[in-house]
Amino acid sequence: MSEKPSDVVVVGGGVIGLSVAYFCARDGLTVTVLERGALGQESSWAGAGIIPAGRGATARSAYAKLLGTSSEMFPQLSAELREETGIDNGYVRCGGLEIGFDQADAHALRSAAGHYVKEGVTWQELTAQQTRELEPGLTGAFSVAYHVPDMAQVRNPRHLKALAAACARRQVRLITSSPASGFNVAGETVLGVRTLDRFFPAGTTVVTAGAWSGGVLQSLGVSLRVKPIRGQIALLATDPPLLRRVIMMGKEYLVPRTDGRVLVGSTEEDVGFDCRPTPSGIRGLLDIAISIAPALGSAHLERTWAGLRPGSPDSKPFFGPVPGYRGIFVAAGHYRAGLQLSPVTGLVVQQLITNQAPSVPLFAFRFDRLPRELVADVPAH
């Protein structure tokens, strides 16, 4: 059965797919979103919602420009979604502390501070006493701390709910439990997306299926090097609240919510599509959390979960057309930065679809940026 044609069909209803749908619909395009399960219930829901400080205009690298631009978009987008839907996504500029434990950490933080200086991001190196004055709950052992007041956070489930509601208000068709099974192709042009029982014609198709994006593209003979990387998180409850700022410890973090809960994350595990949390993974996270904030040892362990991040070979996303085909784009491989990069992703994909110059240069994120053996083997037509 063939459905009514849409200007854009988005394959994947996580934060990236919903952001693409929202920006396209806001620009007046008709949009259909196809989601294999429920909207936003994979890695988008599972993340901690950390929004790093950044300045798009002054960032030196392409990736820093992407992150900075997206971070700067969040306050306006959050206000816009709240105005449209009445849903507050929990965006707050809470500030953050970047903590180090040894000389290697100190060197890494000094390097990061150097980038902050070049980009105009406010930061301050703190003594242990100054750190504990800001966050009295940090009584554990650490050797260096940097305060970054412009770090922010958002509540992932609320942001997803707001995006979905805003899309629905703009007549985006949100179709769940409908995994893509293939594409209809004429010559080198993708005409739309097939599910098990329906065909969705599209002027443009966008694959935003996260860790499943490579599988979606296989029917085109295209190999996208995106794979699942499991990240586990523990949720603790404290009363009264113990922390106010995001605490970054390399790849691990503590994210305090205003209700006294604290997210502790996150692991990086190459275990395929297994999204079950494990005792050893959660224990490792809790050990790190208690080492920096010993009072968390008596907190209530409320819940644990895991999500599958879409990892790429260089940990950076893929944006742009699928080589060898017309009418199909990909936005995938955001790894740990999916929520952080979702506003700018929605914007630049909408710009690509409508033949506008992208607000952020995308050359560094093209599909074929990797060595030839890592890029799509596109068949001749």
Side-chain angles (χ1 to χ4, degrees):
M1 181 175 68
S2 183
E3 297 288 328
K4 180 180 177 181
S6 299
D7 294 326
V8 182
V9 170
V10 180
V11 180
V15 71
I16 299 298
L18 290 174
S19 297
V20 168
Y22 176 73
F23 277 89
C24 286
R26 196 177 69 170
D27 197 54
L29 301 175
T30 58
V31 184
T32 296
V33 174
L34 302 177
E35 165 54 39
R36 60 186 293 274
L39 293 173
Q41 292 303 298
E42 297 293 347
S43 62
S44 299
W45 175 90
I50 300 169
I51 311 299
R55 302 284 184 270
T58 54
R60 300 299 181 93
S61 72
Y63 190 58
K65 186 175 290 291
L66 200 68
L67 282 169
T69 301
S70 206
S71 293
E72 291 175 318
M73 291 175 67
F74 251 105
Q76 180 178 340
L77 176 61
S78 300
E80 187 176 295
L81 292 174
R82 186 170 59 249
E83 178 69 21
E84 287 191 30
T85 69
I87 299 170
D88 185 348
N89 67 5
Y91 176 85
V92 59
R93 178 180 167 274
C94 58
L97 289 169
E98 299 192 3
I99 302 295
F101 299 92
D102 53 30
Q103 286 299 315
D105 291 341
H107 177 75
L109 290 175
R110 281 195 298 271
S111 177
H115 290 292
Y116 285 152
V117 170
K118 294 174 183 177
E119 295 178 23
V121 174
T122 302
W123 65 279
Q124 180 187 7
E125 185 173 4
L126 304 179
T127 65
Q129 180 178 344
Q130 290 171 324
T131 303
R132 292 181 178 114
E133 287 173 356
L134 278 180
E135 290 290 352
L138 297 183
T139 58
F142 55 90
S143 62
V144 61
Y146 286 58
H147 181 214
V148 185
D150 289 335
M151 195 177 293
Q153 62 167 288
V154 69
R155 303 288 287 266
N156 295 39
R158 296 182 188 178
H159 185 64
L160 290 159
K161 184 178 180 180
L163 274 175
C167 284
R169 286 175 60 87
R170 293 179 179 272
Q171 284 74 55
V172 174
R173 296 178 68 199
L174 301 170
I175 301 177
T176 58
S177 302
S178 295
S181 61
F183 305 90
N184 280 13
V185 181
E188 296 181 346
T189 302
V190 173
L191 303 177
V193 184
R194 296 193 310 271
T195 63
L196 291 177
D197 58 352
R198 290 187 279 178
F199 172 62
F200 294 86
T204 302
T205 298
V206 186
V207 176
T208 64
W212 288 264
S213 295
V216 170
L217 289 169
Q218 281 182 351
S219 67
L220 294 177
V222 172
S223 177
L224 177 68
R225 287 301 180 99
V226 172
K227 67 178 181 178
I229 301 294
R230 184 171 66 192
Q232 301 187 46
I233 290 181
L235 178 65
L236 305 180
T238 64
D239 186 21
L242 182 66
L243 302 168
R244 292 182 296 166
R245 294 166 181 81
V246 173
I247 312 299
M248 301 294 298
M249 302 163 289
K251 294 180 179 180
E252 287 78 34
Y253 52 74
L254 307 176
V255 180
R257 304 305 197 195
T258 55
D259 58 8
R261 290 177 171 85
V262 179
L263 292 172
V264 184
S266 176
T267 62
E268 291 183 349
E269 303 165 85
D270 187 353
V271 292
F273 286 93
D274 184 350
C275 63
R276 296 171 296 181
T278 63
S280 61
I282 295 301
R283 182 183 62 188
L285 294 174
L286 295 178
D287 285 346
I288 294 171
I290 294 169
S291 74
I292 193 72
L296 289 176
S298 58
H300 171 57
L301 178 58
E302 192 166 294
R303 188 179 178 188
T304 64
W305 64 84
L308 299 175
R309 305 185 187 96
S312 68
D314 59 3
S315 301
K316 296 179 177 61
F318 293 99
F319 292 134
V322 174
Y325 293 93
R326 291 188 293 268
I328 184 168
F329 293 86
V330 67
H334 292 70
Y335 197 32
R336 296 181 66 120
L339 187 127
Q340 299 166 21
L341 291 173
S342 57
V344 75
T345 299
L347 174 63
V348 298
V349 172
Q350 173 261 311
Q351 292 169 332
L352 289 172
I353 291 171
T354 54
N355 297 311
Q356 301 176 55
S359 297
V360 179
L362 299 180
F363 183 77
F365 311 108
R366 67 194 186 281
F367 197 110
D368 57 352
R369 69 181 181 267
L370 300 171
R372 187 173 183 84
E373 64 270 15
L374 295 181
V375 184
D377 180 16
V378 181
H381 295 285

